[in-house]
Amino acid sequence: MTDAKTALVISAHAADFVWRCGGAIALHSEQGYRVTVVCLSFGERGESAKLWKQPGMTLQKVKDVRKAEAERAAEALGVHDLIAFDMGDYPLEFTRDAKDRLVDVMRAVQPSFLLSHSQYDPYNTDHMLTTQVVLECRSTAQAWGHNPGQKVLGAPQLYLFEPHQTEQMGWKPDTFLDITPVWSKKRAAIECMEGQEHLWDFYTRVAQNRANHFTRNSGGQSGGRDCKYAEGFQSIFPRTVDEL
């Protein structure tokens, strides 16, 4: 995998990678990137209310449905590899083995960049725990003394994708990505998430709003190109450039 351009998404629940960075996945897949998605849980306890309201529902049935939804969405987006950790949710808890497994994935994928959740999310502690662990595992994956013999990780940027209520999360985007060319793929993936149909149009509006911000910041009426759908991200680490 290391000979190709790669990217790695770490998603706390089955649908997070769809709502928050599905456009980035589809766009980079079309550009030749092999995008790996680690799905830590299926959101079976906390993000599947529609399913739990059905008579006779069980935890395993919910997991099976959400797993199938995630697989269909990943296919629609062009995900190279969908890895399900099946760790459970609400609460999401990491063992040492789970962290080491994530380090192994990072080293195997050797991503050009990482995508995960906002660092603060009082509405969903699974999200902010995920990013805390992603940062820990990124650091461990760079350590030559951890599992000597494995290829160590370089220094990929970590982009934080947009949380559900940005004003409450301290999330401040510094990067807007035009996903207009692949919007149909993201919308198709969104519609795979039947367990959370109430969010389909919400995240469509988010993409439209971010397109306005993309256009405004790329020149607006004085020369910026048109953009109908976009995603916003917050970068964690400084960027190294040869010119501004």
Side-chain angles (χ1 to χ4, degrees):
M1 292 182 65
T2 56
D3 293 335
K5 294 184 293 185
T6 58
L8 178 60
V9 180
I10 301 95
S11 179
H13 311 107
D16 287 323
F17 72 92
V18 178
W19 315 129
R20 310 183 194 290
C21 65
I25 292 171
L27 190 68
H28 285 83
S29 178
E30 286 195 354
Q31 293 173 353
Y33 282 75
R34 293 181 176 180
V35 183
T36 297
V37 175
V38 170
C39 195
L40 298 176
S41 79
F42 300 116
E44 62 267 20
R45 293 190 182 92
E47 301 193 350
S48 303
K50 181 180 177 181
L51 294 170
W52 281 112
K53 292 175 183 178
Q54 298 177 15
M57 189 54 65
T58 66
L59 183 64
Q60 189 58 53
K61 287 181 181 178
V62 174
K63 287 174 66 173
D64 290 344
V65 170
R66 298 313 303 271
K67 180 175 184 288
E69 291 178 354
E71 290 172 346
R72 290 196 300 272
E75 183 177 2
L77 295 171
V79 170
H80 174 71
D81 193 12
L82 177 65
I83 303 173
F85 275 30
D86 193 11
M87 291 168 51
D89 66 317
Y90 284 68
L92 183 68
E93 296 178 309
F94 284 84
T95 62
R96 182 69 261 168
D97 286 345
K99 292 179 179 180
D100 287 343
R101 184 183 179 190
L102 186 55
V103 171
D104 288 343
V105 171
M106 288 182 179
R107 285 183 164 183
V109 174
Q110 292 290 317
S112 299
F113 61 89
L114 301 157
L115 287 163
S116 199
H117 296 266
S118 60
Q119 288 184 288
Y120 179 62
D121 189 339
Y123 294 93
N124 195 317
T125 56
D126 287 359
H127 291 169
M128 61 183 181
L129 175 61
T130 293
T131 295
Q132 176 185 326
V133 171
V134 167
L135 286 166
E136 176 186 327
C137 290
R138 179 186 182 276
S139 179
T140 302
Q142 294 175 304
W144 284 80
H146 177 82
N147 287 344
Q150 285 184 338
K151 184 177 180 179
V152 299
L153 185 68
Q157 181 63 259
L158 172 60
Y159 290 104
L160 309 182
F161 42 60
E162 185 160 3
H164 190 69
Q165 297 187 55
T166 58
E167 298 87 350
Q168 306 301 318
M169 314 307 191
W171 179 85
K172 184 178 180 180
D174 55 26
T175 306
F176 293 109
L177 180 69
D178 182 1
I179 62 168
T180 306
V182 295
W183 172 252
S184 62
K185 290 186 177 182
K186 178 167 182 176
R187 180 67 195 201
I190 284 174
E191 292 184 9
C192 290
M193 311 313 295
E194 297 178 6
Q196 292 176 281
E197 187 176 352
H198 63 289
L199 293 177
W200 292 5
D201 289 341
F202 177 88
Y203 280 104
T204 296
R205 292 192 297 271
V206 169
Q208 291 169 331
N209 289 338
R210 292 308 178 191
N212 176 278
H213 298 160
F214 177 98
T215 302
R216 185 177 183 87
N217 284 281
S218 67
Q221 296 181 26
S222 60
R225 62 185 174 86
D226 188 29
C227 175
K228 294 183 179 179
Y229 300 95
E231 289 173 341
F233 302 97
Q234 177 183 348
S235 58
I236 289 293
F237 299 102
R239 298 170 186 168
T240 55
V241 299
D242 294 317
E243 61 182 83
L244 296 179

